[in-house]
């Protein structure tokens, strides 16, 4: 029962963090543009701000924001009252929907880099230990150094690929 409560509390905290971030961005654009709700142009600026924030904290170089056509499409889906503007509550749903693909892409890259790469590194180390001459050098390296080096190489490769 305690585990279920902890999990629910974690989900609630994540939702609140997203809400705080979306409210901050909504208020920034709303105040800058002098409107109560966001029109398409305002919404696209908000999307650029969100992706700017996402890119600041990623271990990869850059994730492109969605196209204007994609923003317009999702805006139509999230504009519940069909007034052509997005209010604060619609904006929260809009941001969740527009960033869902990005979160999946980022998650896959992070999983590849920080979960799979060390495992593959250790497998290659084990295999190369049996190769004459190479095995002596590989055996000499501590596992933690070898796995870290390969992980950093994968991370660097992904970063270069996205540049």
């Amino acid at each position: 029962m305690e585990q279920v409560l902890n999990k629910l509390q974690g989900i609630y905290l994540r939702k609140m963090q997203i809400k705080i971030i979306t409210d901050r961005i909504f208020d920034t654009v709303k105040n800058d543009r002098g409107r109560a709700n966001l029109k398409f142009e305002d919404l696209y600026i908000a999307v650029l701000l969100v992706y700017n924030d996402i890119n600041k904290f990623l271990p990869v170089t850059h994730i492109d924001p969605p196209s204007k056509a994609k923003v317009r499409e999702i805006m139509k889906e999230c504009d519940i009252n069909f007034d052509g503007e997005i209010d604060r509550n619609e904006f929260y749903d809009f941001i969740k929907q527009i960033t869902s693909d990005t979160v999946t892409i980022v998650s896959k890259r992070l999983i590849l880099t920080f979960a799979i790469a060390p495992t593959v590194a250790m497998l290659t180390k084990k295999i190369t230990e049996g190769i004459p001459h190479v095995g002596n050098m590989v055996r000499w390296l501590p596992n933690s150094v070898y796995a870290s080096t390969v992980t950093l190489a994968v991370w660097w490769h992904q970063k270069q690929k996205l540049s």
Side-chain angles (χ1 to χ4, degrees), residues 92-103:
Y92 175 75
D93 293 332
F94 172 84
I95 291 299
K96 280 183 20 185
Q97 190 168 343
I98 201 120
T99 58
S100 65
D101 291 342
T102 301
V103 170

Side-chain angles (χ1 to χ4, degrees), residues 120-139:
V120 171
M122 294 314 301
L123 286 172
T124 59
K125 184 176 187 229
K126 195 71 166 164
I127 291 168
T128 55
E129 283 177 349
I131 299 173
H133 305 292
V134 175
N136 292 336
M137 290 188 302
V138 172
R139 262 187 243 107

Side-chain angles (χ1 to χ4, degrees), residues 62-159:
H62 182 75
I63 303 263
D64 291 327
S67 67
K68 286 186 175 184
K70 182 74 171 174
V71 171
R72 193 177 303 277
E73 175 188 324
I74 295 176
M75 179 184 179
K76 287 178 184 176
E77 292 174 21
C78 294
D79 186 12
I80 296 171
N81 56 5
F82 304 107
D83 63 353
E85 296 181 347
I86 298 291
D87 64 27
R88 184 177 302 274
N89 292 326
E90 293 169 336
F91 184 69
Y92 175 75
D93 293 332
F94 172 84
I95 291 299
K96 280 183 20 185
Q97 190 168 343
I98 201 120
T99 58
S100 65
D101 291 342
T102 301
V103 170
T104 303
I105 291 167
V106 170
S107 297
K108 286 179 182 176
R109 287 187 182 140
L110 289 174
I111 288 170
L112 174 67
T113 302
F114 298 111
I116 297 174
T119 305
V120 171
M122 294 314 301
L123 286 172
T124 59
K125 184 176 187 229
K126 195 71 166 164
I127 291 168
T128 55
E129 283 177 349
I131 299 173
H133 305 292
V134 175
N136 292 336
M137 290 188 302
V138 172
R139 262 187 243 107
W140 177 78
L141 285 171
N143 290 344
S144 58
V145 172
Y146 190 81
S148 299
T149 304
V150 171
T151 302
L152 286 173
V154 170
W155 173 77
W156 181 82
H157 175 72
Q158 286 183 353
K159 193 170 184 172

Side-chain angles (χ1 to χ4, degrees), residues 1-14:
M1 182 66 170
E2 187 176 325
Q3 289 176 339
V4 172
L5 289 175
N6 287 339
K7 187 171 185 172
L8 289 174
Q9 185 181 19
I11 291 169
Y12 175 76
L13 289 174
R14 273 193 303 275

Side-chain angles (χ1 to χ4, degrees), residues 6-93:
N6 287 339
K7 187 171 185 172
L8 289 174
Q9 185 181 19
I11 291 169
Y12 175 76
L13 289 174
R14 273 193 303 275
K15 285 183 179 181
M16 289 307 299
Q17 287 172 335
I18 293 169
K19 184 74 171 140
I20 289 167
I21 293 167
T22 58
D23 283 348
R24 179 183 54 84
I25 291 173
F26 184 88
D27 289 338
T28 299
V29 175
K30 179 184 79 146
N31 294 338
D32 185 54
R33 306 295 275 193
R35 299 187 177 118
N37 295 323
L38 305 182
K39 296 184 181 226
F40 173 75
E41 299 82 25
D42 310 326
L43 197 58
Y44 193 70
I45 290 169
V47 168
L48 294 176
L49 289 173
V50 167
Y51 274 78
N52 188 38
D53 281 355
I54 288 172
N55 284 320
K56 281 181 195 174
F57 300 104
L58 290 179
V60 292
T61 306
H62 182 75
I63 303 263
D64 291 327
S67 67
K68 286 186 175 184
K70 182 74 171 174
V71 171
R72 193 177 303 277
E73 175 188 324
I74 295 176
M75 179 184 179
K76 287 178 184 176
E77 292 174 21
C78 294
D79 186 12
I80 296 171
N81 56 5
F82 304 107
D83 63 353
E85 296 181 347
I86 298 291
D87 64 27
R88 184 177 302 274
N89 292 326
E90 293 169 336
F91 184 69
Y92 175 75
D93 293 332

